[in-house]
Amino acid sequence: HVFLGPEGNVLSTGLTTWTKESPFKLVLGWLSLTTGLLGLLYVFFRGLWLVACGRIFGNTAIVLPWLSLMSFALPVFLFSLQPFLKFGELTVASVLLAVLSGALPVSLMYALYYTWRSNKYALTDLCSLVAGTQLCVVLVVQGVLPIVFWC
């Protein structure tokens, strides 16, 4: 059974309820997600480029967020080793994922601060750090970040 609320803006099955949102909010959310992911992708590929050039530990602020992004491979590896039924339990992989996902916005904000204060930054680096930081802020406000699976 499906029930419609007053004026047709609420849809309910009795167990879950959905409300109708404006298209503007939807477009804004997708725009935020897209720009944030593009910013994080830029940080990822910029770090790979710096590794390939041998300048990863030079005077660049992108290193810390890049290392933070690269460290997400460890919980993925640990999740692949554990049984599927332990996915929602408190394990080393889930704690590590929560810690790393909580550290990502901190590393992005530090890099943004460091880049802004250095006065010799690339505009693309600054824009990517702003985009990644705004995505993390939106996810923190929505209660998605840090990623916690055991609750």
Side-chain angles (χ1 to χ4, degrees):
H1 295 87
V2 176
F3 301 103
L4 287 174
E7 301 173 11
N9 60 355
V10 177
L11 180 69
S12 178
T13 62
L15 296 175
T16 55
T17 303
W18 297 277
T19 58
K20 188 175 182 180
E21 289 291 334
S22 71
F24 178 73
K25 280 186 176 179
L26 209 57
V27 168
L28 200 60
W30 279 105
L31 186 65
S32 173
L33 179 68
T34 304
T35 56
L37 288 178
L38 286 175
L40 292 178
L41 278 173
Y42 177 83
V43 169
F44 176 74
F45 286 117
R46 174 86 165 127
L48 288 180
W49 176 257
L50 290 173
V51 166
C53 293
R55 296 182 301 159
I56 189 66
F57 294 111
N59 193 12
T60 180
I62 245 29
V63 173
L64 188 61
W66 181 74
L67 288 173
S68 183
L69 283 174
M70 296 305 298
S71 63
F72 277 98
L74 185 57
V76 169
F77 175 70
L78 292 175
F79 274 123
S80 70
L81 294 179
Q82 74 182 24
F84 180 73
L85 294 176
K86 288 195 169 251
F87 188 72
E89 295 180 10
L90 186 64
T91 60
V92 174
S94 61
V95 169
L96 191 58
L97 181 64
V99 168
L100 291 176
S101 64
L104 179 63
V106 174
S107 68
L108 284 167
M109 285 188 274
Y110 171 77
L112 186 60
Y113 175 76
Y114 181 80
T115 301
W116 183 259
R117 298 287 289 170
S118 70
N119 291 333
K120 54 178 181 172
Y121 54 83
L123 186 61
T124 53
D125 287 355
L126 186 66
C127 288
S128 69
L129 290 171
V130 167
T133 304
Q134 71 83 25
L135 176 65
C136 288
V137 167
V138 167
L139 292 177
V140 166
V141 168
Q142 294 292 327
V144 178
L145 209 61
I147 302 169
V148 178
F149 287 141
W150 63 82
C151 289

